[in-house]
Amino acid sequence: MKHGGKALFGVAVTVFLFWFVFRDVDPAEVWANIVQGNFVLLFASVCVATFGFFIRAMRWKVLLAPIKPDTRLYSRFAAVSIGFMGNNVLPLRAGEFMRPYALSRLEPVTVSGAFGSLVVERFLDGIVLLLFLVVPVLLPDSPAADAFSGDRGSLLLRSGVVTVGLVLLALVSMAVMPKRFIKVVAWFARFLPKRVSEPLLGALESFLDPLAIMRDPKLLGLALVWTLFFWAWHAVSFWLAMLAFDIHTGFVSAMFVTAAVGWGVALPSAPGFFGTFHVAASFALTAVYGVAGGQALAFAFGYHFGGWLPITLIGFYYAWKMGLSLGEVRFAEEGEAAAGGAQTAATV
């Protein structure tokens, strides 16, 4: 499927999901709940969520340690901001490539190496988000336990566990046996022209370097602690926004909603996670915690737009300051892909 077809598919998914969430809810009811919301609490929620990107930048230092342990915080925060801005305004999750590319412009690291660190980041995110789903389910008298007690709920949880397990197996295999992995790829690459195979193997080696963190228990443990801290911080922003729209289901429910949204936005959609965010939040609050549909969607739209705007503006600022254009990123992306760059699909 060409880029245009994939982008169109994402837009179609978003349109369908908006129809889905509004099929039984009056938009006027959603708007009334938004207008009646506590905007002081919503502003506090947005501030907490926006500071979360700074926490992401601090965590990234640990993930980049195997390839460059002394990256500057400024460089990492600028790259994080540009990456999420790209995801918010461009199709095909272009920000997943813009982030390592921006870092490569600011620090002496390869795009493939920086991208490899993001694969580890997404894996750690997946572990913590799965934990945020499981903990509410295991608590006694939790609505989440009832919601996931049936066949469908059990299947969803098992699917999440299997997904994280398979990714862990793949990452550990590449990290523990990088030379053997490269030898296997090299054996297949010998059937390709040298102008393709040589850059491919070079990019693969750069991509595998950050996975060395999987062999370092101290670094991996530190990265996991940072990941727990980040998502707990993010759950606080969800909790404040829920309170802003008079949703008093507790902090544990905010953790559950955070996890549901974190997994939900991994699905294809239009730029900015429109549709996927709202369906996931609506499901978690309405189907699991019994919140009224209009109230749940008021939270979803209020929090989503409130969080979407600041990081998008910050990302545009850093892109402008760096003189980074979309055309330059597209050209570099195509060149890296032709050279066998690590265009691995990022999840969560």
Side-chain angles (χ1 to χ4, degrees):
M1 188 183 291
K2 298 293 186 181
H3 282 355
K6 292 179 181 178
L8 187 61
F9 176 74
V11 172
V13 169
T14 291
V15 171
F16 170 77
L17 292 179
F18 275 141
W19 167 82
F20 183 80
V21 295
F22 277 111
R23 72 194 189 286
D24 296 321
V25 179
D26 185 357
E29 180 187 352
V30 177
W31 178 248
N33 276 281
I34 291 175
V35 172
Q36 294 168 12
N38 185 325
F39 286 90
V40 174
L41 279 175
L42 182 60
F43 178 74
S45 166
V46 170
C47 290
V48 172
T50 303
F51 187 78
F53 294 100
F54 188 77
I55 297 175
R56 279 185 180 273
M58 291 190 288
R59 175 182 62 166
W60 203 8
K61 178 180 176 66
V62 178
L63 301 174
L64 288 167
I67 57 175
K68 192 177 189 332
D70 57 346
T71 52
R72 295 174 299 157
L73 179 59
Y74 170 87
S75 302
R76 300 194 306 273
F77 181 68
V80 165
S81 301
I82 290 171
F84 278 89
M85 175 273 292
N87 280 340
N88 283 346
V89 301
L90 297 172
L92 307 176
R93 298 179 75 106
E96 301 292 351
F97 182 86
M98 293 178 70
R99 180 173 163 188
Y101 178 72
L103 185 69
S104 73
R105 289 273 305 270
L106 295 167
E107 298 284 342
V109 298
T110 65
V111 176
S112 298
F115 196 92
S117 72
L118 299 190
V119 173
V120 179
E121 177 185 282
R122 291 295 187 265
F123 166 68
L124 294 174
D125 287 344
I127 290 178
V128 173
L129 289 175
L130 186 61
L131 181 67
F132 278 21
L133 280 179
V134 171
V135 168
V137 171
L138 296 179
L139 291 178
D141 301 322
S142 168
D146 295 334
F148 281 85
S149 61
D151 292 338
R152 289 184 179 179
S154 179
L155 177 62
L156 283 174
L157 282 180
R158 288 200 302 269
S159 299
V161 172
V162 169
T163 300
V164 171
L166 289 175
V167 174
L168 173 61
L169 180 63
L171 290 179
V172 169
S173 299
M174 289 187 286
V176 173
M177 301 178 290
K179 292 182 179 179
R180 182 172 297 181
F181 184 80
I182 291 175
K183 283 183 179 179
V184 172
V185 176
W187 188 87
F188 286 102
R190 66 196 179 98
F191 298 105
L192 300 173
K194 279 192 175 182
R195 60 185 177 83
V196 175
S197 62
E198 290 180 357
L200 168 64
L201 294 174
L204 179 61
E205 289 179 4
S206 297
F207 175 77
L208 291 176
D209 285 341
L211 301 189
I213 193 174
M214 304 294 291
R215 303 193 300 270
D216 189 326
K218 183 178 178 181
L219 270 182
L220 188 61
L222 183 59
L224 186 58
V225 169
W226 269 109
T227 304
L228 276 166
F229 174 64
F230 165 73
W231 284 109
W233 179 272
H234 206 53
V236 170
S237 73
F238 271 65
W239 180 56
L240 290 171
M242 287 161 61
L243 293 178
F245 294 100
D246 206 26
I247 300 172
H248 300 277
T249 51
F251 181 72
V252 171
S253 71
M255 291 171 54
F256 184 86
V257 176
T258 301
V261 169
W263 284 98
V265 297
L267 299 173
S269 68
F273 314 114
F274 286 92
T276 51
F277 183 102
H278 305 81
V279 164
S282 178
F283 163 77
L285 287 172
T286 303
V288 177
Y289 285 93
V291 176
Q295 217 175 349
L297 284 177
F299 156 79
F301 280 97
Y303 180 88
H304 180 255
F305 182 73
W308 179 91
L309 187 60
I311 193 60
T312 301
L313 294 177
I314 294 170
F316 270 122
Y317 166 75
Y318 280 115
W320 168 78
K321 193 171 182 180
M322 290 176 57
L324 187 63
S325 68
L326 176 59
E328 179 183 357
V329 173
R330 286 295 187 196
F331 177 79
E333 181 179 9
E334 291 171 2
E336 186 77 7
Q343 300 302 308
T344 308
T347 59
V348 186

